Amino acid sequence: MWPEQLVVKHGGSSKINCSTSCLQPTISGLETTLSKTLLDKQPQWELYEVFNVSTDTVVYCHFTCSGRQVQRNASITVFYPPEQVLLKLQPTWVTVGKVFTMECRVPAVAPLENLTLTLFRGQEPLHMQKFEGETAAPQEAMITHNSTAHKEDGRHNFSCRAELDLKTRGGGLIRKTSEPQVLEIHEPMPDNQMVIIIAVVSVLLLLFVASVLLCFVFGQQWHQRRSGNYGVQAAWRRLRRSYRA
């Protein structure tokens, strides 16, 4: 029977070959609960295709040769590939030296025990996690990883890669990578620059206060001079009226 192990995407189909060394087999066939079609047939082999595979199952090939029945079986594993790989950075804006979180999520994937998630900064792997679980139903896989922000992080893309390794089950390696995410890095201001800024702001504030005070003093002096001139003119008018009288 070939192949002896099959991996089929949920709802998919696969071909199965049954063959025998018996020169004149009298009875042959493929036993399965799946929908099947006989594609081709020769005295010593038969080629079938099974359809709508939705659950893990076992199929059987059998031949009868000289009154003796020979049977072989093949296991079929249903898989759900990682269709979506979603990466989130929290927060997306971070100061150098502070901690940020990477969260990677893969909805509806199976078998979970064959899945590996890896977080990347550029081409550098930061964190990798394998999963456990023997259920055939699709499940959500998620990992989180805390990392300290560095100055050079702003020059790299962050990503998450999902790998579903089905080689031990007769399949291949399925990979899916998330959309790249960018982390905005903020560099803290050096202490000497902060001192300079505080000094400049203080000087500007003092100059502003001084200008307000000077405006107030000059305004008072101008008002007093105006008031003095009006007093002299009034006294002169009173003196002229007295002289005429």
Side-chain angles (χ1 to χ4, degrees):
M1 193 168 186
W2 186 88
E4 294 182 354
Q5 287 185 312
L6 299 90
V7 285
V8 182
K9 184 179 178 180
H10 180 264
S13 62
S14 182
K15 294 179 180 179
I16 301 174
N17 182 276
C18 297
S19 63
T20 179
S21 59
C22 182
L23 297 178
Q24 294 182 339
T26 56
I27 301 175
S28 61
L30 177 72
E31 294 184 5
T32 177
T33 57
L34 301 171
S35 301
K36 65 181 180 180
T37 298
L38 178 62
L39 300 177
D40 199 358
K41 179 178 181 179
Q42 294 295 328
Q44 292 181 285
W45 59 266
E46 294 178 349
L47 180 63
Y48 293 89
E49 184 170 11
V50 292
F51 300 92
N52 301 322
V53 183
S54 58
T55 59
D56 294 354
T57 187
V58 177
V59 297
Y60 300 90
C61 282
H62 62 86
F63 290 90
T64 300
C65 184
S66 301
R68 185 172 64 92
Q69 188 178 60
V70 180
Q71 178 177 284
R72 291 288 183 272
N73 64 69
S75 61
I76 299 179
T77 300
V78 174
F79 73 92
Y80 292 75
E83 301 283 358
Q84 287 183 303
V85 182
L86 308 173
L87 176 65
K88 181 188 294 185
L89 303 180
Q90 296 179 327
T92 58
W93 187 96
V94 65
T95 302
V96 172
K98 299 297 183 179
V99 174
F100 67 97
T101 301
M102 303 175 66
E103 178 186 284
C104 182
R105 186 168 58 87
V106 181
V109 61
L112 200 62
E113 62 267 24
N114 294 97
L115 180 69
T116 301
L117 295 183
T118 308
L119 298 170
F120 287 89
R121 176 176 55 199
Q123 300 298 320
E124 175 191 2
L126 295 178
H127 181 68
M128 181 181 70
Q129 182 171 329
K130 295 181 180 293
F131 293 83
E132 297 180 355
E134 298 181 356
T135 176
Q139 301 180 63
E140 180 180 81
M142 185 178 71
I143 61 171
T144 58
H145 176 67
N146 294 328
S147 182
T148 302
H150 299 86
K151 181 180 179 180
E152 60 273 14
D153 286 345
R155 298 192 294 267
H156 297 286
N157 289 330
F158 290 83
S159 61
C160 178
R161 185 175 69 196
E163 294 181 325
L164 191 63
D165 189 355
L166 302 173
K167 293 192 294 291
T168 59
R169 297 174 181 263
L173 179 64
I174 301 173
R175 285 179 174 174
K176 181 75 173 181
T177 303
S178 69
E179 291 292 331
Q181 302 293 324
V182 177
L183 188 66
E184 295 185 27
I185 299 296
H186 172 69
E187 296 185 45
M189 188 175 298
D191 294 339
N192 56 346
Q193 291 187 11
M194 183 63 70
V195 171
I196 294 173
I197 292 176
I198 293 175
V200 171
V201 172
S202 300
V203 170
L204 292 176
L205 183 61
L206 289 174
L207 290 175
F208 174 75
V209 173
S211 63
V212 172
L213 292 175
L214 288 174
C215 289
F216 177 77
V217 171
F218 288 144
Q220 289 294 320
Q221 291 180 354
W222 179 81
H223 179 70
Q224 290 177 359
R225 285 198 296 270
R226 294 278 293 176
S227 299
N229 291 336
Y230 290 145
V232 171
Q233 291 177 5
W236 175 252
R237 284 195 295 271
R238 287 195 300 271
L239 180 62
R240 288 180 61 183
R241 284 196 296 269
S242 298
Y243 177 74
R244 290 174 183 173

